[in-house]
């Protein structure tokens, strides 16, 4: 999986690189951005998963994360949200297809050949980071926003051996019980809703999946988020944490919406949260 560096910029004494490589999981070229803090490393790694319609660039240019990442000596990686290309299936709507991989391995046509973001994030991307970059060996941190918050929670709960810390901004906490999730999971995984449950963070947490591995899970949710009541439903995650014995810090941030203005307001606290646990 040879990595090609497409562009580089100096940033707070470190470097931002835009990279691509052929991914075995998706069978396509996948793109990611990576921030390398000052120094020689090896560095602890935080992977950021973005939301619907995003690419590897949204977090990189809008989150304002790299001053704090440089201070903490934290490598930050932001992969694209789906496979892309002329031969990759797509849909007319923003919430399905390219830009909307939902961090699952699709089993249904026409998505199954390439839409394997679960395997990409848990297998191909870590392998590239640890072979081609000064990444510290061992578990990483995982965070994300909206669809990416869903991905961060579910992938971390399934793979505590890969991820030592997890946080999220405005995550889709129960995709089996919201329109975004019902649409994506039925398309990618089929009509049998039982197969969706392993991709539902609230159901996983309530069952005790990975309970005891994470000393805390940090979630920030804006109270002025237009998707709050129908799509995000953070109260389901709170109840699941109580049932499953998982410590959860869910902060309702008054007046904040779903945008990157919300993310940039609290990203430094999330970076510090991960850095402390990745020491």
């Amino acid at each position: 999986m040879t990595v090609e560096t497409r562009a580089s910029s100096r940033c707070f004494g470190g470097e931002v690189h835009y990279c691509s490589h052929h991914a075995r999981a998706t069978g396509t070229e996948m793109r990611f951005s990576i921030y390398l803090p000052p120094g020689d490393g090896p560095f602890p790694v935080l992977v950021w998963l973005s939301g619907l319609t995003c690419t590897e660039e949204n977090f990189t240019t809008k989150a304002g994360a790299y001053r704090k990442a440089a201070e903490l000596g934290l490598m930050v990686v932001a992969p694209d949200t789906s496979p892309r290309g002329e031969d990759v299936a797509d849909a007319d709507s923003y919430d399905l297809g390219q830009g909307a991989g939902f961090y699952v391995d699709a089993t249904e046509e026409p998505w199954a050949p390439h839409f394997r973001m679960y395997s990409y994030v848990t297998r191909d991307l870590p392998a590239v980071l640890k072979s081609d970059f000064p990444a510290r060996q061992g578990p990483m941190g995982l965070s994300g926003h909206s669809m990416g918050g869903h991905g961060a929670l579910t992938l971390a709960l399934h793979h505590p051996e890969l991820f030592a810390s997890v946080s999220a901004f405005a995550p889709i906490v129960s995709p089996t019980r919201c329109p975004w999730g019902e649409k994506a999971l039925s398309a990618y995984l089929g009509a049998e809703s039982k197969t969706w449950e392993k991709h539902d963070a609230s159901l996983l947490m309530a069952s005790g999946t990975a309970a005891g591995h994470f000393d805390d899970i940090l979630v920030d949710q804006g109270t002025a988020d237009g998707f709050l009541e129908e799509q995000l439903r953070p109260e389901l995650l709170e109840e699941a944490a109580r049932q499953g014995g998982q410590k959860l810090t869910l902060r309702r941030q008054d007046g904040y919406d779903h945008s990157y203005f919300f993310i940039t307001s609290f990203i430094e606290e999330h970076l510090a949260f991960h850095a402390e646990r990745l020491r």
Side-chain angles (χ1 to χ4, degrees):
M1 291 187 287
T2 303
V3 176
E4 177 185 353
T5 300
R6 295 177 171 273
S8 299
S9 296
R10 194 80 170 151
C11 185
F12 296 114
E15 295 180 334
V16 178
H17 299 289
Y18 286 98
C19 301
S20 64
H21 69 113
H22 182 80
R24 183 160 55 96
T26 65
T28 66
E29 181 181 75
M30 289 297 299
R31 304 188 306 243
F32 62 90
S33 73
I34 184 166
Y35 178 69
L36 303 177
D40 297 325
F43 304 108
V45 178
L46 175 65
V47 176
W48 171 272
L49 304 181
S50 292
L52 290 166
T53 75
C54 290
T55 70
E56 74 283 1
E57 190 167 9
N58 296 73
F59 177 86
T60 310
T61 59
K62 294 180 179 181
Y66 297 146
R67 182 191 297 274
K68 189 67 172 180
E71 175 189 320
L72 296 169
L74 193 61
M75 181 189 296
V76 184
V77 183
D80 199 355
T81 54
S82 79
R84 298 180 192 269
E86 292 183 4
D87 297 330
V88 176
D90 202 3
D92 292 334
S93 57
Y94 76 96
D95 52 357
L96 190 67
Q98 295 185 35
F102 247 82
Y103 305 102
V104 302
D105 283 353
T107 58
E108 301 296 303
E109 296 295 336
W111 315 105
H114 302 297
F115 278 72
R116 301 182 57 82
M117 290 300 294
Y118 184 107
S119 290
Y120 176 70
V121 174
T122 59
R123 187 188 70 198
D124 291 14
L125 183 62
V128 163
L129 298 177
K130 292 175 181 180
S131 67
D132 288 60
F133 297 94
R136 193 183 69 188
Q137 301 299 308
M140 304 176 293
L142 190 58
S143 188
H145 171 231
S146 194
M147 177 186 73
H150 140 75
L153 292 171
T154 55
L155 270 58
L157 289 170
H158 276 302
H159 292 280
E161 77 285 359
L162 291 179
F163 303 108
S165 57
V166 58
S167 74
F169 287 82
I172 303 170
V173 305
S174 188
T176 64
R177 291 175 280 184
C178 76
W180 275 341
E182 291 167 1
K183 179 177 181 177
L185 296 181
S186 62
Y188 297 144
L189 303 177
E192 178 50 62
S193 59
K194 191 71 177 174
T195 65
W196 309 351
E197 293 180 1
K198 67 179 181 179
H199 299 289
D200 186 306
S202 294
L203 297 179
L204 291 171
M205 200 174 288
S207 71
T209 300
H213 178 80
F214 300 105
D215 69 323
D216 194 7
I217 293 175
L218 175 62
V219 173
D220 275 317
Q221 174 62 62
T223 63
D225 191 319
F227 303 112
L228 179 60
E229 294 184 6
E230 183 179 33
Q231 304 281 14
L232 306 178
R233 306 183 66 188
E235 68 280 359
L236 297 177
L237 193 67
E238 287 180 309
E239 178 58 29
R242 284 192 290 270
Q243 292 178 17
Q246 171 62 56
K247 187 176 188 308
L248 171 71
T249 299
L250 197 156
R251 308 188 302 187
R252 288 174 170 82
Q253 305 290 4
D254 188 42
Y256 286 87
D257 59 19
H258 201 69
S259 71
Y260 266 86
F261 295 115
F262 166 49
I263 295 169
T264 196
S265 299
F266 301 101
I267 190 62
E268 291 192 356
E269 295 174 37
H270 281 246
L271 295 175
F273 173 89
H274 287 279
E276 179 180 355
R277 286 154 180 80
L278 293 172
R279 290 196 184 103

